[in-house]
Each structure stands twice: as C-alpha cells, then as structure tokens.
Amino acid sequence: MNNLWGIENLPYGVADTPDGGAQVVTRLGDDVIELATLANSDNMRKWARTFGHSSLNPFISQGRSSWSAARAWLQAILRDDKRKELVAAATKPLSEVTLHLPVQIADYVDFYASEQHATNVGSIFRPDGAALTPNWKHLPIGYHGRAGTVVVSGTDIVRPVGQRKGKDDPEPVFGPSVRLDIEAEVGFIVGGETEVGTRVSVDEAGDHLFGVALFNDWSARDIQAWEYVPLGPFLGKSFASTLSPWITPMEALESAKIALPTQDPQPLDYLRGDGLFGLDLQLEVRLNDTVVSTPPYKTMYWSPAQMLAHLTVNGASLRDGDLFASGTVSGDERDQRGSLLELSWSGKEPLELPDGTKRSFLEDGDTVTITATAPAPGGGRMALGEVTGTIQPARES
Amino acid sequence: MNNLWGIENLPYGVADTPDGGAQVVTRLGDDVIELATLANSDNMRKWARTFGHSSLNPFISQGRSSWSAARAWLQAILRDDKRKELVAAATKPLSEVTLHLPVQIADYVDFYASEQHATNVGSIFRPDGAALTPNWKHLPIGYHGRAGTVVVSGTDIVRPVGQRKGKDDPEPVFGPSVRLDIEAEVGFIVGGETEVGTRVSVDEAGDHLFGVALFNDWSARDIQAWEYVPLGPFLGKSFASTLSPWITPMEALESAKIALPTQDPQPLDYLRGDGLFGLDLQLEVRLNDTVVSTPPYKTMYWSPAQMLAHLTVNGASLRDGDLFASGTVSGDERDQRGSLLELSWSGKEPLELPDGTKRSFLEDGDTVTITATAPAPGGGRMALGEVTGTIQPARES
C-alpha cells in the first residue's frame, strides 16, 4: 500500500459514485472508500446521513466532537478484521472516480503570512521603500478573495485577460496576462458557525479548524500591479484559485504541529495564547515535470490560530465552509520560493527547464502541480492532496 | 395609499408569514403581499414554487425573462378587479411582518465608483499625493468584501474592536474603533450563472442585473487606515454591511436610467457599449433624526454595466445572489457626501446636530438610516427600501 495515504491520514473528499450521486469519501492508499456507503452497511445512520452529500459542509457543520468521532469510527472499522468485507464493498480504485470540489466555500480570505514572501514581493513591487509594510509584524495581513471561483484540482485555468500598464506604456493596454503566476499556499477549512459581533480567540481556534488543503492562488501579476492601489488585489486573483480535492483533518496533523518562529515584536494580546502552532508541512512545486521549488511551511510567521483570531476580532462571523489560505509559502532559500515572481525575481532571473526552455511566468500548456507531505502520527510521512492545473490560452471574448 | 410604493414599484423581499415559514413578498403602500400565497390562490404553480422560499435566489436563478414575466403577472393581478379578494387574502400590514435578508449573498464586491468620493478620500488619506490614483479613470476599482456579514436593515451594529495606530502612537493600540463611519451606497443583485473563464460584456450586463438595493458599508476608519496597505480593506469593513430588505427590480427603474457623466479619458473597448447608463437615484442619510446628507447617485462615474463587465473580464464567473455595491455615493456639494469621513473632513469639521452635540464619527446609540427615491415609470417618485442600523457598544470579548 501507498504509505503516504495510510490509516493515520484519512483525508476527506467528495466523489461521484458509479450508481449516481456524489458522497463523501476518504482515501486509503490508491483507493477511495465511500463513507456513506460504508456507514449504511455498518448501520451507522448518523454517518450515512452526514456523508451522503455532494459537499463536506454538512459534516463540517457538526463541529469538532463529531469530526473526532467520525474519524474514530472510521479508523476502528478499518482496523477491524470482522468488517473487512464491508470496507471492501465500499472501496473503489482512485483512478475510477471523479473527485469534486469538496467544500461549498462560504467566504474566502487570503493571508500573507510568510515573512520571506512578503519581503521578496515588497522588494520587487516597492523597490524604493521598506520591503515589509509597518503593519506586517503586528497583524496577519489578509483580504477577501472570490469564493465562487475556487475550483477543484485538475480544472484547466484559462489565461485571464485584462488591463495592465507597464512602466513604458503611456496608457493601459488590454489583452491576455503576460505575467501569469502561481502561489503555493496552504488552505484552512473552517467549521462551527459564530454570530456576527462575536470573536474567536486563538485558544478557541482549534474548535473551528476542520482541516487543511493545498491551494494554488493563480495570480496575473501585470493585472494585479496596475489595479491593486488603493483597494488591493481584485481581477489579478479572482479568475481562479485551485483547491486540492482532499481535506486533511487537523487531527491527522497533530504530529506536524511545531513551534512558530520567534515573533518580534510580540503581538498584541489577542494574538497570543496557548493555541499557537506552526505546521511542519513540506511543499513541492512542479512546473511540467520539473521540481522548481520546495517551500517549507514551518517558516511561516503567523499561526493559523492567529489568522482565525484576527479574522474575527472585529466581530466578523464564521460560516461552515469558510476558507482561509496562508498566502504564498516561501522559505529562506531561492529554491524554496512559492511563486514564479520570486523564483524568477520578476523576470530578471528566468528558470531554465530541462527541455532547454526558460520560464519567468507561465506559458499556455504549462502544468503546475503542488504536493506536500507532513509527519505522520505513527512516524514516517503522510501526503496532503495535490493541487494541479494546466494553463489554457486566453479566450477572444 | 403611500404613492412611493405603488404598482409601478413592487420591490421584492422575504418575510415571515404568520402561519410559519418565510416566503417572497412585495410591498404595496404600507402593506406586504405574500407572493407564494397569492400565486397558489391564483393557480400559478410555477410562481408558487418560485416564491415559496426564504430567499429570492430561486427566483433570481430563473433569469431575466422570468423576472419580467413574474412582474407582468403581479401587475396584472393587482389591476384586476376580479381578483381583488385573492390579493386581499395575501395582504398583511407591513408592521406585522418580519423582513429578512432577502438574498443569500454569494460573492460580494465593493466598487469605488464616485469620483467625488474617491477624490475626497484620496485627499484625506494621502494628502501628499494625487487624490485619484493613476488607474482610477481607466477601470472601476473594486475589491471583495465579506458576504457572510451582510445583514438586513434593522440589525444592530456592534462597534468593532481591533488594531489602530495613530500618527502619534509609537506602537499599535487595541480597542473599540473610535472612527466608526458609514458609507451610503447602492447595491446591485446579480442573477444568471456564468462559467469560469467566460465574460459578461457591458451589452449583456442587463441580462444579469436583477435589482437594486440600498446598502450601508459600515467602516472603521482607524482599523482600515492601519491595515489597508498593501492588500486593501479587511477588518475595517468586514464586521457588518447592511442591505435593505427590498430589492427593486431593474425593470422598475427604467425611468431612472440616465446618461453617465462624461468619461475622459475614454475607457478601453470592453468598458464601452450601448448598455451604459447612470441612475437618477436621490439618496438621503439621516443620523438619528437629522438629515446630514443627500447624495445624488446620478453623479457616479462608472455604470453598473461597466462594473459588471469589469468584474468578469478576467473570466471570473457569476453566481445567483452575487452582490456588487457602488462604493460611497458622494456629490459635488458638501451636504452630498456619503460618509462621515468626508462630511467631517476626517474630524476637522464636525457636524452639529440639533441637540447641540457634535459628530465626526458615530457614537454608541446612534442610528443611521439611508433612504432613496427614483423617478417612477408613471411619473412622480418611488421609494427604494431603507437601510437602517443602530450602533451598540463594543463587547469585551
């Protein structure tokens, strides 16, 4: 069996079943297990109802104790020799199912939590100023993105068109983006609705963090550069963002939790607490068949718990299926940068690919795939679901 | 009868019915008419199914021809003496029903389409630079806001807390916002889903513009000022935005359509076309019982059709229930400014209220109400649904 997808992993996804309809599935090795089917044959009506949907949202809405109970039931049945046939009857080869967007996304927020990424981007976009803005180490900077264009891994990405204005252009020009980029990120799926006007503290964040996904925040740097002052990124990002088909439960990542890098200056009280942690996720970015970067999530400055506490400190409520992403993951080394903007230093240092071609930004037909592993609870490594997408040419209208 | 709410108006809302459940309603004078009830008794099963929901989304999803057909049916039945009793049986006094958020908001985008507002804010926030950023007259600047905190008119607004850093603060401080503001805006509800990778042209925009609402984009200026560089507004806005309970169909606003102000420089081709229009909506902002501003929507620089074409030009898809708002409506005159930031010029020129108190920003207990009228199809004026909210004190945690 593929040990990256063992019994200590068990991510959740949504797949079409051969007999029609979609249901929640998990992955074991190179198979998927239909969880509504399995729960039905195991006479677990609660789980059959929970998992018999085309999104994880009904499960997510049940809260942390249910997340834990479902995982315990699932691990128990998979370890139980007496129920082997039930499991076999609910198992399909991964290659035979279609995986869908696993979560109906409510609101999507993108953070900017890597000091190395923010420093690199600041140096490139604002060469005459300080690389980090004065607020950066005081709060996790973030902004809302377009939830309706979050697509599942494997969805083709049509090259966006729009306005751009280079330094030498007297007027803005219109056309396909010529600086199409990726952002290798980690996404966090939120569950447990809260009321408008209330906050979630860093210590309560664990009750609302359902699971982790890989995420590619495709970015048109030329569109973004022209539009983003003063109200932030809009069309440079909103054409598509790709989510992995598998959501890894937070409970499976206990062994991946590590201390954060030192935060200096110490943040304000509402960003401090016992619930802070980093995650030792090792990302890998492949452009076509070449590994171009290996971003280490452990270098991220802000904890997911801090991002969630910040997001709600003003009283903003949470909905089941909210997604917040970390922002681009970039490490200290050049080959740990999570965007082509940084890898090619805005085109000044193009990447050379084994076929002899060079890349500063993406060309039509390019395929980008982000994968990641984490320490598994029983030792060794486990995988997160991959995110992949291929660039299609821009459309005329 | 209250002529502001006549048969040429007929906005849509959602109300609780005395016998349980919520359904789509319209307003006529000071009454509401339950549309699922009316359709049932008129043997119009299609409309009964369409309107028997707790949001307008199923209706919005049916597209422009259905929007038009439903309005024609409704106007015909209201003009038909033979069906008077059916109408009477579905009618309730407005004072006896509870109006809900009428639309399940998919994505929410806020534009910045008033030249006067952008100029005022630019002058206040960036006194040393040009008031308008170089991109402002080339594209309708916008950003995504938090859909999950759009609340219906009448919902109390809890004063947000967060970080701010004044010029004289050596470090950011934490606490309730001391510069809580309003933004008087007009919102547009979108219908007719599109695919990721496709665009909606200015000439096609009419097929996707379902209706118009009033909108108050509450803003914490101190939180916003500290956080918004480089990725735009986040917590300064996301605590709450208030939508009117009534959505006025675009078809009711034909008489309100006017030419846009001159656009110079001429925008790029994708922002030009026959579908451009302004709207002659006259807004009024009351702080407690005092009219503090009368912003004229007719001064807005960008057409709703341009905003929608811009929003989708990069291939971003639309979903039923998407909401985009105009940004603050401010006219040329001081008493036409749609925010307290502008009315008090960032606190330098406080407003004096009749009770002798002064206001630069909102105090706890203040109530802000935005109303508006438009030319009615048959002559005279008709009303849009009001937006109101009262500030509650910040919460300790």
Side-chain angles (χ1 to χ4, degrees), chain B residues 300-326:
Chain B
M300 299 297 276
Y301 193 85
W302 296 105
S303 173
Q306 290 174 313
M307 298 186 228
L308 194 61
H310 184 65
L311 196 160
T312 63
V313 71
N314 67 344
S317 50
L318 299 176
R319 290 184 293 169
D320 297 311
D322 279 345
L323 162 68
F324 68 90
S326 62

Short mmCIF file of all heavy atoms in Angstrom, two decimals, chain B residues 300-326:
data_model
loop_
_atom_site.label_atom_id
_atom_site.label_comp_id
_atom_site.label_asym_id
_atom_site.label_seq_id
_atom_site.Cartn_x
_atom_site.Cartn_y
_atom_site.Cartn_z
N MET B 300 -22.44 59.43 -10.25
CA MET B 300 -21.47 58.31 -10.25
C MET B 300 -20.79 58.16 -11.61
O MET B 300 -21.44 58.21 -12.66
CB MET B 300 -22.17 57.00 -9.88
CG MET B 300 -22.82 57.03 -8.50
SD MET B 300 -21.66 57.25 -7.12
CE MET B 300 -21.13 55.55 -6.89
N TYR B 301 -19.50 57.92 -11.57
CA TYR B 301 -18.69 57.92 -12.78
C TYR B 301 -18.88 56.65 -13.61
O TYR B 301 -19.00 56.70 -14.83
CB TYR B 301 -17.21 58.04 -12.38
CG TYR B 301 -16.26 58.35 -13.52
CD1 TYR B 301 -16.05 59.66 -13.92
CD2 TYR B 301 -15.57 57.33 -14.18
CE1 TYR B 301 -15.17 59.96 -14.95
CE2 TYR B 301 -14.69 57.62 -15.21
CZ TYR B 301 -14.49 58.94 -15.60
OH TYR B 301 -13.62 59.23 -16.62
N TRP B 302 -18.89 55.51 -12.95
CA TRP B 302 -18.96 54.23 -13.66
C TRP B 302 -20.38 53.67 -13.67
O TRP B 302 -21.07 53.72 -12.66
CB TRP B 302 -18.01 53.21 -13.03
CG TRP B 302 -16.56 53.58 -13.13
CD1 TRP B 302 -15.77 54.05 -12.12
CD2 TRP B 302 -15.72 53.51 -14.29
NE1 TRP B 302 -14.49 54.28 -12.59
CE2 TRP B 302 -14.43 53.95 -13.92
CE3 TRP B 302 -15.93 53.11 -15.62
CZ2 TRP B 302 -13.37 54.01 -14.82
CZ3 TRP B 302 -14.87 53.16 -16.51
CH2 TRP B 302 -13.61 53.61 -16.11
N SER B 303 -20.78 53.13 -14.80
CA SER B 303 -22.10 52.49 -14.92
C SER B 303 -22.10 51.13 -14.23
O SER B 303 -21.08 50.43 -14.24
CB SER B 303 -22.43 52.29 -16.41
OG SER B 303 -23.62 51.54 -16.55
N PRO B 304 -23.25 50.71 -13.69
CA PRO B 304 -23.34 49.33 -13.18
C PRO B 304 -22.92 48.31 -14.25
O PRO B 304 -22.30 47.29 -13.93
CB PRO B 304 -24.82 49.18 -12.83
CG PRO B 304 -25.30 50.58 -12.60
CD PRO B 304 -24.49 51.47 -13.48
N ALA B 305 -23.24 48.60 -15.51
CA ALA B 305 -22.87 47.67 -16.58
C ALA B 305 -21.35 47.60 -16.75
O ALA B 305 -20.80 46.53 -17.03
CB ALA B 305 -23.52 48.11 -17.90
N GLN B 306 -20.68 48.71 -16.54
CA GLN B 306 -19.21 48.69 -16.61
C GLN B 306 -18.62 47.94 -15.43
O GLN B 306 -17.64 47.21 -15.57
CB GLN B 306 -18.68 50.13 -16.65
CG GLN B 306 -18.97 50.85 -17.96
CD GLN B 306 -18.56 52.31 -17.94
OE1 GLN B 306 -18.88 53.03 -16.98
NE2 GLN B 306 -17.88 52.76 -18.98
N MET B 307 -19.22 48.14 -14.26
CA MET B 307 -18.70 47.41 -13.09
C MET B 307 -18.83 45.90 -13.31
O MET B 307 -17.90 45.14 -13.02
CB MET B 307 -19.47 47.82 -11.84
CG MET B 307 -19.33 49.30 -11.47
SD MET B 307 -20.12 49.69 -9.88
CE MET B 307 -21.07 51.16 -10.30
N LEU B 308 -19.98 45.47 -13.85
CA LEU B 308 -20.18 44.03 -14.05
C LEU B 308 -19.26 43.49 -15.15
O LEU B 308 -18.71 42.39 -15.02
CB LEU B 308 -21.64 43.75 -14.40
CG LEU B 308 -22.06 42.29 -14.30
CD1 LEU B 308 -21.90 41.76 -12.88
CD2 LEU B 308 -23.51 42.12 -14.75
N ALA B 309 -19.08 44.26 -16.22
CA ALA B 309 -18.18 43.82 -17.29
C ALA B 309 -16.74 43.75 -16.79
O ALA B 309 -16.00 42.82 -17.12
CB ALA B 309 -18.28 44.78 -18.48
N HIS B 310 -16.37 44.71 -15.98
CA HIS B 310 -15.01 44.69 -15.44
C HIS B 310 -14.82 43.50 -14.50
O HIS B 310 -13.81 42.79 -14.58
CB HIS B 310 -14.72 45.99 -14.71
CG HIS B 310 -13.31 46.10 -14.22
ND1 HIS B 310 -12.23 46.15 -15.07
CD2 HIS B 310 -12.79 46.14 -12.96
CE1 HIS B 310 -11.11 46.22 -14.36
NE2 HIS B 310 -11.42 46.22 -13.08
N LEU B 311 -15.80 43.27 -13.66
CA LEU B 311 -15.72 42.19 -12.67
C LEU B 311 -15.49 40.82 -13.33
O LEU B 311 -14.87 39.93 -12.74
CB LEU B 311 -17.04 42.19 -11.88
CG LEU B 311 -17.18 41.46 -10.57
CD1 LEU B 311 -18.37 42.03 -9.81
CD2 LEU B 311 -17.38 39.97 -10.74
N THR B 312 -16.00 40.67 -14.56
CA THR B 312 -15.95 39.36 -15.22
C THR B 312 -14.94 39.30 -16.37
O THR B 312 -14.80 38.26 -17.01
CB THR B 312 -17.33 38.97 -15.79
OG1 THR B 312 -17.70 39.94 -16.80
CG2 THR B 312 -18.39 38.94 -14.72
N VAL B 313 -14.27 40.40 -16.68
CA VAL B 313 -13.44 40.42 -17.90
C VAL B 313 -12.28 39.44 -17.80
O VAL B 313 -11.77 38.94 -18.82
CB VAL B 313 -12.94 41.85 -18.19
CG1 VAL B 313 -11.89 42.31 -17.19
CG2 VAL B 313 -12.39 41.96 -19.61
N ASN B 314 -11.88 39.12 -16.59
CA ASN B 314 -10.77 38.16 -16.41
C ASN B 314 -11.26 36.72 -16.41
O ASN B 314 -10.47 35.80 -16.17
CB ASN B 314 -10.03 38.47 -15.11
CG ASN B 314 -10.87 38.20 -13.87
OD1 ASN B 314 -12.10 38.08 -13.97
ND2 ASN B 314 -10.24 38.15 -12.71
N GLY B 315 -12.55 36.51 -16.66
CA GLY B 315 -13.09 35.16 -16.66
C GLY B 315 -13.75 34.76 -15.35
O GLY B 315 -14.23 33.63 -15.21
N ALA B 316 -13.81 35.68 -14.39
CA ALA B 316 -14.48 35.36 -13.13
C ALA B 316 -15.96 35.10 -13.40
O ALA B 316 -16.62 35.86 -14.11
CB ALA B 316 -14.33 36.50 -12.13
N SER B 317 -16.47 34.01 -12.85
CA SER B 317 -17.86 33.62 -13.08
C SER B 317 -18.79 34.35 -12.12
O SER B 317 -18.37 34.90 -11.11
CB SER B 317 -18.00 32.11 -12.87
OG SER B 317 -17.41 31.75 -11.64
N LEU B 318 -20.07 34.36 -12.49
CA LEU B 318 -21.12 34.93 -11.65
C LEU B 318 -21.96 33.81 -11.07
O LEU B 318 -22.18 32.78 -11.70
CB LEU B 318 -22.04 35.83 -12.49
CG LEU B 318 -21.38 37.04 -13.16
CD1 LEU B 318 -22.42 37.78 -14.03
CD2 LEU B 318 -20.79 37.98 -12.11
N ARG B 319 -22.45 34.04 -9.86
CA ARG B 319 -23.42 33.13 -9.25
C ARG B 319 -24.69 33.90 -8.89
O ARG B 319 -24.63 35.11 -8.64
CB ARG B 319 -22.84 32.50 -7.97
CG ARG B 319 -21.73 31.51 -8.26
CD ARG B 319 -21.24 30.85 -6.97
NE ARG B 319 -20.57 31.79 -6.08
CZ ARG B 319 -20.24 31.53 -4.82
NH1 ARG B 319 -20.54 30.37 -4.29
NH2 ARG B 319 -19.62 32.43 -4.09
N ASP B 320 -25.80 33.20 -8.88
CA ASP B 320 -27.05 33.84 -8.45
C ASP B 320 -26.87 34.34 -7.02
O ASP B 320 -26.42 33.61 -6.15
CB ASP B 320 -28.19 32.82 -8.49
CG ASP B 320 -28.43 32.33 -9.91
OD1 ASP B 320 -28.53 33.17 -10.81
OD2 ASP B 320 -28.49 31.09 -10.11
N GLY B 321 -27.23 35.58 -6.81
CA GLY B 321 -27.08 36.15 -5.47
C GLY B 321 -25.79 36.90 -5.28
O GLY B 321 -25.53 37.41 -4.19
N ASP B 322 -24.95 36.97 -6.30
CA ASP B 322 -23.79 37.87 -6.19
C ASP B 322 -24.29 39.29 -5.96
O ASP B 322 -25.32 39.70 -6.52
CB ASP B 322 -22.94 37.84 -7.46
CG ASP B 322 -21.99 36.65 -7.53
OD1 ASP B 322 -21.77 35.99 -6.49
OD2 ASP B 322 -21.48 36.38 -8.62
N LEU B 323 -23.56 40.01 -5.17
CA LEU B 323 -23.88 41.40 -4.85
C LEU B 323 -22.67 42.26 -5.17
O LEU B 323 -21.56 41.93 -4.76
CB LEU B 323 -24.19 41.51 -3.35
CG LEU B 323 -24.13 42.92 -2.72
CD1 LEU B 323 -25.26 43.81 -3.24
CD2 LEU B 323 -24.23 42.81 -1.18
N PHE B 324 -22.89 43.30 -5.97
CA PHE B 324 -21.82 44.29 -6.03
C PHE B 324 -22.40 45.64 -5.67
O PHE B 324 -23.54 45.96 -6.01
CB PHE B 324 -21.08 44.30 -7.38
CG PHE B 324 -21.85 44.78 -8.58
CD1 PHE B 324 -21.83 46.12 -8.94
CD2 PHE B 324 -22.56 43.89 -9.36
CE1 PHE B 324 -22.53 46.56 -10.06
CE2 PHE B 324 -23.26 44.31 -10.49
CZ PHE B 324 -23.25 45.66 -10.84
N ALA B 325 -21.62 46.42 -4.94
CA ALA B 325 -22.06 47.72 -4.47
C ALA B 325 -21.23 48.80 -5.14
O ALA B 325 -20.11 48.56 -5.60
CB ALA B 325 -21.96 47.80 -2.96
N SER B 326 -21.80 49.98 -5.18
CA SER B 326 -21.24 51.08 -5.97
C SER B 326 -20.04 51.74 -5.33
O SER B 326 -19.29 52.44 -6.00
CB SER B 326 -22.32 52.14 -6.14
OG SER B 326 -22.71 52.66 -4.87
#
